[in-house]
Amino acid sequence: MAVTPTVAKGAPGIPARWTSSAKSGVGTALSAKSPLWFTTSHGILNEIYYPRLDSACTRDLGLIVTGPGGYFSEEKRDAAHTVEPFEDGVPGYRLTNTASDGAYRLEKRIVTDSKRPVLLQETSFTAIKGQATGYRVYALLAPHLVNAGMGNTAWIGEHKGQRILFATGRGVSLALASSLPWGACSAGYVGVSDGWQQLHDNGALEPSCHTAENGNVALTGEIGFSAGKTVALLALSFGASPEEAAEFALASLEQGFEPAAKTYVENWRKFQAGLEKLDRRGASGLNTYRASSAVLATHLSIARPGAAVASLSIPWGFNKGDDDLGGYHLVWPRDLVETAGGFLAAGDGRQALQILTYLRSIQQPDGHWPQNCWSDGTAYWPGIQMDECAFPLLLADALRRAGHLPKSRLADFLAMIENAAAYVARNGPVTGEDRWEEDAGYSPFTLAVEIAGLLAAADMLDACGKNEPAKYIRETADCWNDQVERWTYVTGTEASARAGIEGYYIRIAPPDDGGAASPKDGFVPIKNRPPGDTDKPAEAIISPDALALVRFGLRAADDSRILNTVKAIDAELRCDLPQGRLWYRYSGDGYGEHEDGAPFDGTGKGRAWPLLAGERAHYELAAGRKDKAAQLLDTFERSAGVGGLLPEQVWDRPDMPDRELRLGAPSGSAMPLVWAHAEHIKLLRSLRDGAVFDLPPQGVERYIKGRTVSSLRIWRFNNKIRSIPAGKALRVELSAPGVVHWSSDKWLTVQDSRTAENAFGIHLVDLPVNRLKPGTAIVFTFFWPEAMRWENVDFSVGIDAS
């Protein structure tokens, strides 16, 4: 009797969810003809990205095995998994999944086809118990086309006489073909009528379910294994239409796995051969350096050379649906500069320069960079983080000093450098968000990047003959550097008493508030905390972020304030784990799993970050303790997950097997974190060289060796300082021409000082108040000649003892 194909029941399916972010492998073909990136975990394929590395198109592709007596086994849940790369630094993978009950073994080899957008998975099935003919093996594919699990359509079709599993959504189509003819197939709605439900409940696929439209859909097909045919090649391809995708799949099947694998490996060998030899064999046997360099290269865009995403993962993806469009597969300018630093440390200056070129292309007209963006440059989150606006300046200068950006090429980036320096000078030192995407204020980390970035920009402007702008931004950097302690160093607190120290640098001080004597006396609204448990005194929040003052050359490693802060960090944030000592981001961090292991859902508890071990190692190296830095490198590497990938966070509590959380092992946050792999490469280079690789020299020369002190303080509408030390001039900076109407004797006598416009469009004037005695107050207001009006508000700045 003929079966009439029908639309599956249960539309649109259960709400779509992504999958685990704990990847065991990431890969791509390094070929413009193959804009395809893949991830693996739990022995199966997870998100596959096409045609851009910020466009996830699948949730996962795994296998189900059925057998006599209602036997049902899903490899990702019911098997032990091993993963190994084809060779050092080549992210093609051999996956072996052995059933926990000892019934079967599945062996896979995975690469992408360098000639077309096709992922190839060679699969062999071995029966350990019973005969192979007693089992059936099914491929289960969950399309999530273009970052969405809902709104997809799946069906069973044919192309050129071959049966193919199809899906389409949002202008992209996929096709799954097999070298062994498909047996029974179905298309259904996830959680209701998909192949998993059918096989689990009935032991067979419903032959009439051939279409599932506009929902959360899944495709299932029986792989035609038989006694003489135990190896199948699956080709999962993508295209603008179902027909194009099918053509690609069949072409790859005809070519076969070996030729594709050969080209894939050759591409990666060529990339690895051009790098510095920083090779290191970790405890797991992996070449950790080559694993890290492969991670960096895998996260690069093809369509937009120089773009790289933060991670091909979605943190706690199994708990997130279509509302989390970006995951971590977005471009963060900070992470991108860190990635470029990793390439530079590995000897790939060409790629680092390409990243700078991309950054130039996405710089906003006013000079800043977006908090994050899609790879085409379209901004995603709306925040502004001042470290991200200064980091590209440090990258440009690092390339210049390494000989990759000679004066002839530097001119090509001059407009970018000027605009970025102008933006930082006009809008710093306060940041709208710190590097953890959270709080506004004075952050030691952000201040370090801003000041170092301005000094670097000044050198580059001088090299291009722009001496006056260079002088101005050096003066601004000096002024901010003088005040780092006023803004962020506290003394006499409960935490300093506990640690037996005088004081320490805090994580962040809120923007100046007229009611507080100093920014650090205010409160910080900690994000990711339950309502009613957010605001904490700034002085109570400690963070390793202040080590950036050493990393970026503003303070010596043995500065007493730094040494005090290190003690405070260790007293409050150290976490001793099986792999060694790690640290938390800051006191009261809420970005991580809940205490019961439940995934982060807007609140939680921050866990230990391996990245911070790399940063601490660089501090120890700067302090001359190379042995401690090497120990921390070991800890850093031992924090990696299966496959050598470095996670954002690791679990810091007793094992919770039901939640896949083990003490010291990766948590449910992002893995791999590209930033961590870049830090790993830089640490390998730093240890080889015996010096911190990415330490900018300008601050060291100017502030540590030269002990430069600023002669002025700067007042602006976005930084209304309330006092200045005696002996300093007061620089007033405005965004439009103005006359400063001011007095130092309570308006008994008055002076008018007209502003002048500098090269950055800032209207400024220095008030000669450096001879005024402590206790005096300067009172001023403004007349705006262009609008012919007065400000009608008086401002005051007191003179303190110097």
Side-chain angles (χ1 to χ4, degrees), residues 91-113:
Y93 298 98
R94 297 182 185 87
L95 307 181
T96 302
N97 300 329
T98 305
S100 301
D101 59 12
Y104 64 85
R105 180 171 60 252
L106 287 160
E107 295 171 281
K108 308 175 185 178
R109 292 193 296 165
I110 297 172
V111 297
T112 54
D113 188 339

Side-chain angles (χ1 to χ4, degrees), residues 316 591-595 597-600 604-605 607 651 661 667-669:
W316 299 285
Y591 183 56
E593 282 88 352
H594 291 267
E595 287 290 9
F600 173 77
K605 183 179 184 301
R607 306 296 165 181
W651 184 240
L661 295 170
S667 74
S669 58

